[in-house]
Short mmCIF file of all heavy atoms in Angstrom, two decimals:
data_model
loop_
_atom_site.label_atom_id
_atom_site.label_comp_id
_atom_site.label_asym_id
_atom_site.label_seq_id
_atom_site.Cartn_x
_atom_site.Cartn_y
_atom_site.Cartn_z
N ALA A 1 -83.73 -36.72 -15.55
CA ALA A 1 -84.67 -35.63 -15.24
C ALA A 1 -85.88 -36.14 -14.46
O ALA A 1 -86.23 -37.34 -14.55
CB ALA A 1 -85.05 -34.87 -16.53
N TRP A 2 -86.52 -35.24 -13.85
CA TRP A 2 -87.79 -35.58 -13.19
C TRP A 2 -88.94 -34.77 -14.03
O TRP A 2 -88.78 -33.64 -14.25
CB TRP A 2 -87.81 -35.10 -11.77
CG TRP A 2 -89.13 -35.29 -11.00
CD1 TRP A 2 -90.11 -34.41 -10.87
CD2 TRP A 2 -89.62 -36.53 -10.55
NE1 TRP A 2 -91.29 -34.99 -10.16
CE2 TRP A 2 -90.94 -36.40 -10.03
CE3 TRP A 2 -89.04 -37.81 -10.52
CZ2 TRP A 2 -91.64 -37.35 -9.38
CZ3 TRP A 2 -89.79 -38.88 -9.96
CH2 TRP A 2 -91.00 -38.67 -9.39
N ASP A 3 -89.92 -35.57 -14.41
CA ASP A 3 -91.00 -35.11 -15.24
C ASP A 3 -92.06 -34.74 -14.12
O ASP A 3 -92.64 -35.60 -13.57
CB ASP A 3 -91.47 -36.20 -16.18
CG ASP A 3 -92.67 -35.75 -17.12
OD1 ASP A 3 -93.14 -34.67 -16.79
OD2 ASP A 3 -92.91 -36.41 -18.10
N ASN A 4 -92.36 -33.42 -14.09
CA ASN A 4 -93.35 -33.09 -13.10
C ASN A 4 -94.78 -33.44 -13.44
O ASN A 4 -95.56 -33.62 -12.46
CB ASN A 4 -93.26 -31.41 -13.03
CG ASN A 4 -91.94 -30.92 -12.38
OD1 ASN A 4 -91.54 -31.53 -11.46
ND2 ASN A 4 -91.45 -29.81 -12.90
N LEU A 5 -95.10 -33.64 -14.70
CA LEU A 5 -96.42 -34.10 -15.04
C LEU A 5 -96.59 -35.57 -14.98
O LEU A 5 -97.64 -36.01 -14.44
CB LEU A 5 -96.72 -33.62 -16.47
CG LEU A 5 -96.72 -32.14 -16.79
CD1 LEU A 5 -97.16 -31.86 -18.20
CD2 LEU A 5 -97.90 -31.54 -15.83
N ARG A 6 -95.65 -36.35 -15.34
CA ARG A 6 -95.76 -37.79 -15.28
C ARG A 6 -95.26 -38.19 -13.95
O ARG A 6 -95.59 -39.47 -13.52
CB ARG A 6 -94.79 -38.41 -16.30
CG ARG A 6 -95.25 -38.36 -17.79
CD ARG A 6 -94.46 -39.09 -18.73
NE ARG A 6 -94.79 -38.96 -20.15
CZ ARG A 6 -94.23 -38.15 -20.88
NH1 ARG A 6 -93.21 -37.49 -20.49
NH2 ARG A 6 -94.59 -38.07 -22.12
N ALA A 7 -94.69 -37.36 -13.12
CA ALA A 7 -94.22 -37.73 -11.75
C ALA A 7 -93.28 -38.99 -11.83
O ALA A 7 -93.43 -39.93 -11.13
CB ALA A 7 -95.37 -37.98 -10.78
N THR A 8 -92.31 -38.95 -12.61
CA THR A 8 -91.44 -40.01 -12.81
C THR A 8 -90.20 -39.56 -13.44
O THR A 8 -90.03 -38.46 -14.05
CB THR A 8 -92.01 -41.15 -13.79
OG1 THR A 8 -91.17 -42.31 -13.73
CG2 THR A 8 -92.19 -40.68 -15.17
N ARG A 9 -89.10 -40.47 -13.36
CA ARG A 9 -87.80 -40.10 -13.89
C ARG A 9 -87.84 -40.42 -15.43
O ARG A 9 -88.43 -41.29 -15.92
CB ARG A 9 -86.68 -40.92 -13.25
CG ARG A 9 -86.32 -40.49 -11.88
CD ARG A 9 -85.24 -41.35 -11.29
NE ARG A 9 -85.60 -42.79 -11.15
CZ ARG A 9 -84.86 -43.71 -10.83
NH1 ARG A 9 -83.55 -43.50 -10.46
NH2 ARG A 9 -85.36 -44.99 -10.63
N MET A 10 -87.20 -39.48 -16.07
CA MET A 10 -87.01 -39.66 -17.65
C MET A 10 -85.53 -39.39 -17.95
O MET A 10 -84.67 -38.83 -17.11
CB MET A 10 -87.89 -38.66 -18.34
CG MET A 10 -89.34 -38.62 -17.86
SD MET A 10 -90.17 -40.10 -18.31
CE MET A 10 -90.29 -40.10 -20.20
N ALA A 11 -85.20 -39.76 -19.18
CA ALA A 11 -83.94 -39.41 -19.79
C ALA A 11 -84.15 -38.36 -20.75
O ALA A 11 -84.98 -38.47 -21.60
CB ALA A 11 -83.25 -40.65 -20.39
N ILE A 12 -83.33 -37.31 -20.55
CA ILE A 12 -83.37 -36.08 -21.50
C ILE A 12 -82.10 -36.05 -22.30
O ILE A 12 -81.03 -35.97 -21.62
CB ILE A 12 -83.54 -34.83 -20.62
CG1 ILE A 12 -84.86 -34.86 -19.91
CG2 ILE A 12 -83.61 -33.56 -21.63
CD1 ILE A 12 -86.11 -34.98 -20.72
N LYS A 13 -82.13 -36.03 -23.58
CA LYS A 13 -80.97 -35.90 -24.40
C LYS A 13 -81.00 -34.50 -25.04
O LYS A 13 -81.93 -34.23 -25.81
CB LYS A 13 -80.97 -36.93 -25.42
CG LYS A 13 -79.67 -37.21 -26.24
CD LYS A 13 -79.69 -38.46 -26.89
CE LYS A 13 -78.24 -38.79 -27.53
NZ LYS A 13 -78.29 -40.13 -28.09
N VAL A 14 -80.03 -33.60 -24.66
CA VAL A 14 -79.84 -32.35 -25.13
C VAL A 14 -78.90 -32.26 -26.32
O VAL A 14 -77.77 -32.61 -26.15
CB VAL A 14 -79.51 -31.32 -24.01
CG1 VAL A 14 -79.43 -29.94 -24.50
CG2 VAL A 14 -80.50 -31.47 -22.82
N LEU A 15 -79.31 -31.83 -27.54
CA LEU A 15 -78.53 -31.78 -28.65
C LEU A 15 -77.38 -30.70 -28.53
O LEU A 15 -77.50 -29.82 -27.89
CB LEU A 15 -79.28 -31.47 -29.91
CG LEU A 15 -80.28 -32.50 -30.38
CD1 LEU A 15 -80.96 -32.11 -31.59
CD2 LEU A 15 -79.78 -33.94 -30.33
N ARG A 16 -76.21 -31.19 -29.08
CA ARG A 16 -75.07 -30.17 -29.11
C ARG A 16 -75.50 -28.94 -29.82
O ARG A 16 -76.33 -28.83 -30.64
CB ARG A 16 -73.95 -30.83 -29.95
CG ARG A 16 -72.79 -31.29 -29.21
CD ARG A 16 -71.78 -31.98 -30.11
NE ARG A 16 -71.64 -31.38 -31.44
CZ ARG A 16 -71.16 -32.23 -32.49
NH1 ARG A 16 -70.79 -33.42 -32.20
NH2 ARG A 16 -71.14 -31.75 -33.65
N ARG A 17 -74.93 -27.80 -29.17
CA ARG A 17 -75.32 -26.49 -29.57
C ARG A 17 -75.12 -26.21 -31.17
O ARG A 17 -75.96 -25.68 -31.77
CB ARG A 17 -74.57 -25.40 -28.81
CG ARG A 17 -75.10 -24.08 -29.05
CD ARG A 17 -74.38 -23.06 -28.18
NE ARG A 17 -74.59 -23.33 -26.74
CZ ARG A 17 -75.67 -22.90 -26.11
NH1 ARG A 17 -76.61 -22.20 -26.74
NH2 ARG A 17 -75.86 -23.19 -24.84
N ASP A 18 -73.90 -26.78 -31.72
CA ASP A 18 -73.75 -26.50 -33.17
C ASP A 18 -74.78 -27.27 -33.97
O ASP A 18 -75.32 -26.68 -34.98
CB ASP A 18 -72.39 -26.90 -33.50
CG ASP A 18 -72.09 -28.41 -33.16
OD1 ASP A 18 -72.65 -28.94 -32.28
OD2 ASP A 18 -71.14 -28.97 -33.86
N LEU A 19 -75.26 -28.44 -33.58
CA LEU A 19 -76.23 -29.11 -34.27
C LEU A 19 -77.74 -28.54 -34.06
O LEU A 19 -78.42 -28.55 -35.07
CB LEU A 19 -76.35 -30.61 -33.76
CG LEU A 19 -75.07 -31.50 -34.02
CD1 LEU A 19 -75.34 -32.98 -33.55
CD2 LEU A 19 -74.80 -31.60 -35.62
N ALA A 20 -77.90 -28.07 -32.85
CA ALA A 20 -79.25 -27.45 -32.61
C ALA A 20 -79.36 -26.16 -33.34
O ALA A 20 -80.53 -25.77 -33.65
CB ALA A 20 -79.39 -27.07 -31.01
N GLN A 21 -78.28 -25.53 -33.78
CA GLN A 21 -78.47 -24.21 -34.50
C GLN A 21 -78.51 -24.44 -36.01
O GLN A 21 -78.68 -23.48 -36.81
CB GLN A 21 -77.23 -23.32 -34.24
CG GLN A 21 -77.22 -22.84 -32.76
CD GLN A 21 -75.92 -22.08 -32.41
OE1 GLN A 21 -75.00 -22.07 -33.22
NE2 GLN A 21 -75.97 -21.33 -31.28
N SER A 22 -78.44 -25.72 -36.41
CA SER A 22 -78.50 -26.07 -37.92
C SER A 22 -80.09 -26.31 -38.21
O SER A 22 -80.68 -27.18 -37.66
CB SER A 22 -77.83 -27.27 -38.32
OG SER A 22 -78.18 -27.80 -39.49
N ALA A 23 -80.71 -25.42 -38.98
CA ALA A 23 -82.05 -25.55 -39.35
C ALA A 23 -82.34 -26.92 -40.13
O ALA A 23 -83.36 -27.57 -39.80
CB ALA A 23 -82.46 -24.43 -40.30
N GLN A 24 -81.37 -27.35 -40.93
CA GLN A 24 -81.55 -28.57 -41.65
C GLN A 24 -81.51 -29.70 -40.77
O GLN A 24 -82.41 -30.62 -40.72
CB GLN A 24 -80.45 -28.66 -42.75
CG GLN A 24 -80.51 -29.98 -43.45
CD GLN A 24 -79.43 -30.24 -44.53
OE1 GLN A 24 -78.41 -29.44 -44.43
NE2 GLN A 24 -79.49 -31.10 -45.34
#
């Protein structure tokens, strides 16, 4: 990803939808 504020490349890790929907 490109971070518009830091003006640099970053790595973005997006959690799986089933895990993201778990409140715990």
Side-chain angles (χ1 to χ4, degrees):
W2 180 258
D3 184 347
N4 292 322
L5 292 183
R6 294 189 180 95
T8 189
R9 289 179 296 176
M10 307 295 289
I12 302 291
K13 193 165 190 176
V14 181
L15 295 184
R16 252 175 32 204
R17 189 175 298 274
D18 58 334
L19 296 180
Q21 292 177 347
S22 166
Q24 180 183 12

